[in-house]
């Protein structure tokens, strides 16, 4: 069997005295879409932030593309790497945030070309050309000169997706990408994500959009209190949950 | 209350819509008669002051005109501007370093920065200036050497501390303490999500600071730093106390010789007015430049 894109074994993390992740095991095969659902405070966003080392963890192992992220192993212990080494690893992992986090002092186009130029040392004209293609892909080629404040939430989030894709990542992380959007804007963002999944991108999506998870997800994990309580095909988990906690959660949100 | 009872029907009569009247539905705004009285009073006072200033021969306006573009005065003005720029440059650079230290997770660095800011904000700049000027009394020799190794540089303190270096040290080091707080507030104002997004794109800490955090912090930093520059122009006059020939001290040197104290102070004041006015306009341009497009 091929090495999965993301492999997580026994991942644990504390905030102060509270355990937010307790021994997570999870595999995300290359080219698949993993959706993670669960009540707020269940640790799902924290887990996502561990995958590109925006959050350090205390125990366990985490590999992306077969390489440890954020640490090197020496004599059976993990040693945190310096920032510049971690930065290099993050280039291959795109991330989209709930609050978009576009750079407000740059136009849509500048937001997209910033990292390819500064991090990958891409030529400006080449970066611009690719950025225009990405804006077209997310349906915003008219908005290249707009500043984030001039865009709707849905448009900002699509620019944010284009910005992450501009680094040509092997893996995309989505942290509740539609939770901050007005209901009528959710559809456009989900459509872009669906196209991305169809193109074969490996995706980990923390979401409350159960319909999206059912339609696009290859696998669904339900998290509660820092544990993966249940996982399986989205259809099975959503229609016929085995665990009581999953049943309770679905009863509350459906 | 009886007064209320009697006022109520009156008010109703004026606001009631009366279709048969020509001004149906017209709203009568509240009059402010006292504002007019105050305005007239202010105008009379201003006129009196202007009249007195222009007619009192003790102002010696011809002398003011004579010295306004005097070579010595212009040289003093140049010193004032140079001192402002140099002291602000020291203040901004050191202040940014102090702000970053202050925000460091390392307790020692942030405490040292806090102590610096506490000390240099607490002691009056005038005292600091005199102190630096007399530094030689404290350390007669300045020696730079590798610890337990050879001397790299050695000089008599009095040769190093001229009025210029004392002025730069006094104004620049104190300014750094104020600027540090302004820069810190600017950096803190940038939401943490910005840094997270930049990290997620694979940017290194230096790139994140200069490309993402600092440009956004500038929006918060510019207005107060503009005020600090304006304060600095005027604070440079403090260095007249250590005989540095900037604008005020140059004026003092002249009137010590000619006894035309008032007109020369007016010359200095007019130049401060001109410089500060120009800077105020510049500040508006900068604020506009760093404002987010909405």
């Amino acid at each position: 069997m091929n090495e999965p894109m993301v492999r997580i074994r026994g991942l644990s993390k504390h905030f102060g005295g509270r355990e937010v992740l307790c021994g997570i095991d999870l595999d995300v095969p290359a080219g698949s879409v993993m959706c993670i659902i669960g009540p707020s405070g269940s640790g799902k966003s924290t887990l996502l932030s561990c995958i590109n080392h925006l959050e350090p963890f205390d125990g366990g192992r985490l590999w992306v593309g077969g390489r440890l992220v954020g640490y090197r192993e020496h004599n059976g212990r993990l040693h945190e790497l310096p920032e510049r080494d971690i930065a290099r690893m993050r280039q291959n992992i795109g991330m989209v945030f709930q609050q978009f986090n576009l750079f407000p002092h740059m136009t849509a186009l500048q937001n997209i070309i910033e990292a390819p130029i500064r991090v990958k040392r891409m030529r400006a004209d080449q970066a611009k050309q690719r950025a225009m293609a990405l804006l077209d892909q997310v349906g915003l080629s008219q908005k290249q000169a707009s500043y984030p404040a001039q865009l709707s939430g849905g448009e900002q989030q699509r620019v944010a997706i284009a910005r992450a894709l501009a680094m040509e990542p092997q893996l995309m992380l989505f942290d509740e990408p539609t939770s901050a959007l007005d209901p009528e804007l959710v559809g456009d963002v989900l459509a872009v994500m669906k196209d991305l999944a169809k193109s074969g991108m490996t995706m980990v999506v923390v979401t409350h959009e159960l319909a999206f998870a059912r339609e696009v997800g290859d696998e669904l994990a339900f998290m509660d209190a820092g544990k993966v309580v249940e996982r399986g095909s989205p259809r099975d988990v959503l229609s016929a949950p085995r665990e009581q906690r999953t049943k309770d959660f679905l009863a509350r949100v459906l | 209350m009886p007064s209320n009872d009697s006022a109520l029907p009156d008010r109703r009569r004026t606001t009631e819509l009366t279709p048969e009247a020509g001004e149906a539905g017209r709203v009568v705004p509240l009059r402010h008669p006292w504002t007019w009285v105050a305005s007239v009073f202010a105008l009379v006072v201003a006129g009196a002051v202007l009249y007195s200033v222009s007619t009192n021969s003790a102002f010696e306006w011809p002398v003011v005109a004579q010295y306004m573009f005097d070579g010595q005065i212009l040289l003093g003005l140049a010193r004032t501007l140079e001192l402002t720029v140099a002291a602000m440059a020291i203040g901004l650079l050191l202040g940014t370093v102090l702000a970053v230290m202050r925000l460091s997770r390392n307790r020692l660095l942030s405490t040292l920065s806090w102590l610096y800011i506490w000390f240099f904000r607490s002691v009056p700049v005038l005292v600091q200036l005199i102190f630096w000027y007399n530094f030689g009394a404290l350390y007669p020799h300045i020696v730079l050497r590798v610890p337990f190794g050879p001397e790299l540089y050695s000089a008599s303190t009095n040769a190093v501390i001229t009025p210029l270096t004392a002025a730069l040290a006094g104004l620049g080091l104190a300014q750094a303490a104020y600027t540090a707080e302004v820069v810190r507030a600017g950096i803190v104002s940038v939401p943490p999500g910005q840094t997270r997004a930049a990290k997620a794109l694979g940017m290194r800490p230096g790139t994140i600071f200069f490309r993402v955090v600092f440009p956004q912090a500038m929006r918060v930093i510019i207005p107060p730093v503009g005020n600090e520059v304006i304060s600095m122009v005027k604070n440079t006059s403090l260095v007249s106390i250590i005989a540095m020939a900037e604008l005020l001290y140059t004026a003092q040197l002249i009137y010590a010789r000619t006894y035309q104290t008032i007109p020369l102070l007016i010359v200095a004041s007019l130049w401060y007015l001109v410089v500060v006015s120009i800077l105020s306009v510049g500040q508006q341009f900068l604020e506009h430049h760093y404002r987010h497009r909405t």
Side-chain angles (χ1 to χ4, degrees), chain B residues 134-145 151 153-161:
Chain B
N134 293 292
F135 200 61
L138 209 53
Y139 294 98
H141 288 279
I142 293 175
V143 178
L144 212 66
R145 77 158 89 209
E151 271 183 24
Y153 174 83
S154 152
S156 146
T157 304
N158 284 331
V160 177
I161 301 285

Side-chain angles (χ1 to χ4, degrees), chain A residues 153-175:
Chain A
E155 290 169 337
Q156 288 190 55
Q157 192 60 298
R158 285 184 281 155
V159 171
I161 294 173
R163 176 176 71 171
L165 291 176
M167 292 299 283
E168 302 182 299
Q170 338 163 253
L171 167 68
M172 283 286 283
L173 309 174
F174 291 86
D175 188 3

